[in-house]
Amino acid sequence: MCRRFRLSVFERMVPRMLAEMRIQGLGVIDDATLELDPGLTVLTGETGAGKTMVVTGLHLLGGGRAESSRVSAGAKRAVVEGRFVASPGALELAEEVGAEPDDDGSLIAARTVSADGRSRAHLGGRSVPNGVLGRLAEAQLAVHGQNDQLRLLRGSDQRALLDRFAGDPVAVPLAAYRARRGAWLEVTAELAERRDNARRLAQESDMLRHGLAEIEAVDPQPGEDRELVERARRMAEADDLRAAAESARAALSGSDDGESPGAVGLAGQAKGLVEGSGDPALVELGPRLAEAVAVLADVTAELSGYLDRLDADPEQLSRVLERQAELKSLTRKYAADTDGVLEWAASARERLDGLDTSDEALAELSRRRDELSAELAERAAEVTAARTEAAGRLAEATTAELEGLAMKDARLQVGVVPRPAGEGPVLTVGGRECHAGSGGVDEVEIRLVPHAGATAQPLHKGASGGELSRVMLALEVALAGSDPVPTMVFDEVDAGVGGRAAVEIGRRLARLAERHQVIVVTHLPQVAAYADRHLVVQKASGAGVTRSSVRRLSEEERSQELARMLAGMEDTDTGRAHAEELRAAATAHRDADRAAAAPADLAQARSRRAGGARGGGRSRRRTVAQAG
């Protein structure tokens, strides 16, 4: 497991982050531990050293797909462990699955992938489904790589991004919309079913009414069929039963002429003999014989009552058999016995109540549907209005960032338009028929005007790979204030760029690190120069096998690594001087950006504190992160 150590003062100031990560047997990384801090951490290394394996490990910690091909050659398994300084949401998740926080309040997550492809996940020492780590990542971790840039091209992801930026102004009416939509869909479906299947429902209704009429005419009683079977059996065997009962009574009471005493008389005689013997031993048997006489007399009386009740009337037997036939006509159609027939009748009555196809019932459903449609359209319009307002702000903020990312004349447009009606539920909003999806009636499309005079194009048409990287970073910077995820990971977000654009990417990543823990895998020295901490992945070859490790660089080593990244000149004075110059420029930029942001952040913090306890809590957390 990840080794335990006390949180530094800096870590205690930041409420949520990924504090430590250990990788074993993953790709070319044999065993490496990454100690992570707040702020901006960069990860560099030569091509093929294994930088991608760090990002792969983070994906695994987030519940991502496990592939056995990622396990190191010769290793039985790959293991990735991470220690999170947990958010309240992460702690709630841990409590839900029975996971235990570590001694310092952090959560340790682990993922194991065996060479045969089996995968296991653990959280807080407890085995959990991979999906639990996915839920943990939603609260703690966001990994942005080239696949994430591709997802940015999809309309649904663009709408989710806009909603994330808008926050509560969209989330609140959207929640109300979804609540109304559920009831609206239910009523609409029921009305359609009754109208479209009126003939079938009428036939079903007639069948149910006919069955109920037949059952009510017979009027079966609970358990009646079993009772009639017993009565019929006794009546059919009445002669044999009478002979048996009379013989038993004669054996007990004796013959009518008194010549043959029965068991009652003989027991009475025995009682008189022992009581009159004068021998105490025999006299003691008297009470027991008296009990026997009483029992035999009671049985004799019950046999007489049975004979009186025994009915051998052929007409009565005929009536019982007729009643059995009536009940059998029901049990053949509706259930195995009369109890089941009564249950069918109760179910049929309940079903009939829901099969009302009368004009009055349809009119009431239509009225309810129209009422819900009006309410739903109102909620949808509120969502659209909030999205439209937020779209303007997001476009403005992102365009401003693009100007600093060497895309001076580029503009970003965020369009919110109704989604045309097609397959699926249709809702009329503002006189236009729209598709009423779970996310509202809007389509969101982000378009890029790459340079002056160019036509706005969707991102998948108007942006090159390098431009798409910069657009994604600009969006993340714009979203920084509204994104609750504390740790952001960028995998070569600077791909396809260089020069001045690379400098500005590093500068904006540093700004993003004022509010989040940011981890960046990069090959550009202009980006690495802005880091608070610099990790390097180093590879070593031996016996034909390449293995890599991760090491934290000292200040002097950072300059050497930057010199290597610049032009492979880490061993020259010129290379190191160039690296120092790059670092000095980056430090000046960071100091200027922090000084410029401080008054605005302070005013924002004061405003939030004045807004109430909840806003104040957010203000304190962000101010602490900025202070770091």
Side-chain angles (χ1 to χ4, degrees):
M1 296 297 295
C2 295
R3 66 183 183 85
R4 298 177 182 176
F5 55 87
R6 294 180 62 85
L7 298 178
S8 67
V9 174
F10 197 15
E11 286 178 340
R12 286 199 298 272
M13 292 173 65
V14 178
R16 303 164 291 173
M17 54 175 272
L18 175 62
E20 186 180 29
M21 179 180 175
R22 184 177 183 183
I23 302 173
Q24 294 175 293
L26 188 65
V28 296
I29 297 181
D30 186 34
D31 191 345
T33 298
L34 288 72
E35 296 183 9
L36 302 168
D37 297 310
L40 176 60
T41 298
V42 297
L43 188 70
T44 64
E46 296 179 4
T47 301
K51 299 187 297 295
T52 302
M53 289 301 102
V54 175
V55 179
T56 299
L58 288 166
H59 274 294
L60 288 173
L61 275 184
R65 181 180 177 183
E67 297 180 6
S68 59
S69 60
R70 298 293 191 181
V71 180
S72 300
K76 293 182 179 180
R77 66 184 64 84
V79 181
V80 182
E81 299 170 301
R83 183 168 66 82
F84 293 90
V85 182
S87 64
L91 292 175
E92 289 178 8
L93 173 62
E95 184 177 357
E96 177 185 331
V97 300
E100 292 290 336
D102 208 5
D103 294 343
D104 55 12
S106 60
L107 272 176
I108 294 179
R111 186 81 179 275
T112 303
V113 182
S114 63
D116 59 9
R118 289 180 296 178
S119 170
R120 297 185 65 186
H122 290 81
L123 181 63
R126 178 177 291 273
S127 180
V128 296
N130 289 337
V132 171
L133 294 190
R135 292 170 60 190
L136 175 68
E138 289 178 3
Q140 293 280 154
L141 185 68
V143 181
H144 301 280
Q146 294 185 6
N147 288 336
D148 299 275
Q149 294 179 27
L150 295 176
R151 284 199 295 271
L152 185 60
L153 304 180
R154 296 199 294 258
S156 59
D157 289 284
Q158 293 178 7
R159 187 178 64 193
L161 183 145
L162 175 60
D163 289 353
R164 202 174 90 202
F165 175 79
D168 286 347
V170 166
V172 172
L174 182 58
Y177 166 87
R178 285 171 173 160
R180 284 287 185 275
R181 180 175 179 268
W184 174 69
L185 289 176
E186 184 177 340
V187 171
T188 302
E190 184 178 356
L191 179 60
E193 181 187 11
R194 292 197 186 189
R195 284 178 171 171
D196 297 343
N197 301 309
R199 178 176 298 178
R200 180 184 62 80
L201 296 177
Q203 291 173 347
E204 182 182 356
S205 177
D206 288 344
M207 184 198 72
L208 294 175
R209 287 194 176 92
H210 174 77
L212 286 173
E214 190 174 10
I215 293 171
E216 290 169 0
V218 175
D219 191 23
Q221 301 300 312
E224 183 180 2
D225 51 349
R226 296 189 299 274
E227 181 183 343
L228 288 175
V229 168
E230 183 63 25
R231 285 181 61 190
R233 186 190 67 80
R234 287 201 307 269
M235 295 175 73
E237 300 173 359
D239 292 340
D240 294 338
L241 295 174
R242 183 180 296 280
E246 287 178 343
S247 297
R249 185 178 64 176
L252 292 174
S253 62
S255 61
D256 294 337
D257 57 12
E259 292 183 0
S260 299
V264 176
L266 292 173
Q269 291 179 15
K271 173 178 175 294
L273 290 172
V274 298
E275 287 179 344
S277 66
D279 186 342
L282 290 177
V283 171
E284 289 180 358
L285 298 177
R288 296 169 62 188
L289 286 170
E291 292 178 5
V293 170
V295 171
L296 292 173
D298 288 342
V299 173
T300 301
E302 291 182 13
L303 286 171
S304 297
Y306 176 82
L307 288 168
D308 292 339
R309 294 191 305 273
L310 191 59
D311 191 356
D313 183 0
E315 292 184 2
Q316 180 66 23
L317 176 60
S318 178
R319 287 193 292 272
V320 170
L321 294 177
E322 288 177 1
R323 180 62 176 173
Q324 282 185 310
E326 290 178 346
L327 295 179
K328 183 164 286 189
S329 69
L330 299 180
T331 56
R332 277 198 304 264
K333 295 181 181 180
Y334 305 108
D337 53 28
T338 54
D339 289 347
V341 170
L342 292 171
E343 290 178 6
W344 185 94
S347 177
R349 293 187 186 95
E350 183 177 348
R351 175 61 177 161
L352 274 175
D353 291 340
L355 289 179
D356 187 357
T357 56
S358 65
D359 292 340
E360 294 80 5
L362 294 178
E364 174 58 25
L365 277 176
S366 296
R367 185 199 64 77
R368 178 59 178 157
R369 182 206 55 190
D370 294 343
E371 180 182 278
L372 288 170
S373 295
E375 295 178 6
L376 189 63
E378 185 177 346
R379 300 289 86 77
E382 291 176 1
V383 173
T384 300
R387 280 178 174 153
T388 302
E389 187 276 333
R393 289 189 290 110
L394 179 60
E396 182 180 354
T398 308
T399 297
E401 292 297 329
L402 290 176
E403 183 177 354
L405 289 170
M407 295 177 68
K408 183 177 181 181
D409 296 323
R411 289 184 294 110
L412 203 72
Q413 297 177 356
V414 183
V416 180
V417 297
R419 181 178 176 183
E423 294 185 4
V426 177
L427 181 69
T428 301
V429 182
R432 177 180 296 182
E433 289 189 343
C434 306
H435 175 83
S438 61
V441 299
D442 307 316
E443 286 183 338
V444 174
E445 184 177 58
I446 299 177
R447 290 173 170 262
L448 178 67
V449 180
H451 52 81
T455 302
Q457 294 285 341
L459 285 180
H460 67 278
K461 294 181 179 180
S464 65
E467 288 172 338
L468 190 58
S469 296
R470 282 177 274 177
V471 169
M472 189 183 76
L473 179 58
L475 286 168
E476 287 297 344
V477 173
L479 286 162
S482 56
D483 200 328
V485 178
T487 298
M488 292 184 173
V489 181
F490 293 91
D491 181 18
E492 297 191 357
V493 70
D494 49 19
V497 299
R500 180 65 183 172
V503 172
E504 293 301 332
I505 285 177
R507 190 170 186 175
R508 272 147 185 81
L509 287 170
R511 289 179 186 172
L512 197 60
E514 295 300 313
R515 294 178 180 270
H516 301 267
Q517 180 190 36
V518 178
I519 302 169
V520 181
V521 178
T522 183
H523 65 282
L524 294 180
Q526 295 96 327
V527 173
Y530 282 87
D532 295 301
R533 280 149 302 281
H534 193 145
L535 305 178
V536 65
V537 181
Q538 293 178 319
K539 62 181 179 180
S541 299
V545 179
T546 299
R547 287 287 181 262
S548 295
S549 60
V550 181
R551 187 169 62 86
R552 182 169 179 167
L553 299 182
S554 65
E555 292 301 308
E556 181 179 353
E557 290 171 328
R558 284 189 63 183
S559 296
Q560 293 177 351
E561 174 66 6
L562 289 178
R564 180 198 67 78
M565 296 172 70
L566 282 164
M569 300 187 302
E570 64 271 27
D571 295 329
T572 67
D573 293 338
T574 302
R576 283 193 291 272
H578 193 178
E580 290 291 348
E581 182 181 356
L582 190 62
R583 289 186 64 190
T587 300
H589 284 160
R590 293 195 66 165
D591 291 344
D593 289 342
R594 285 174 175 171
D601 286 344
L602 181 59
Q604 189 178 43
R606 288 173 176 170
S607 174
R608 285 181 177 140
R609 278 196 295 269
R614 181 181 176 188
R618 288 196 298 268
S619 171
R620 284 191 293 274
R621 288 196 294 272
R622 289 173 179 169
T623 303
V624 163
Q626 291 155 9

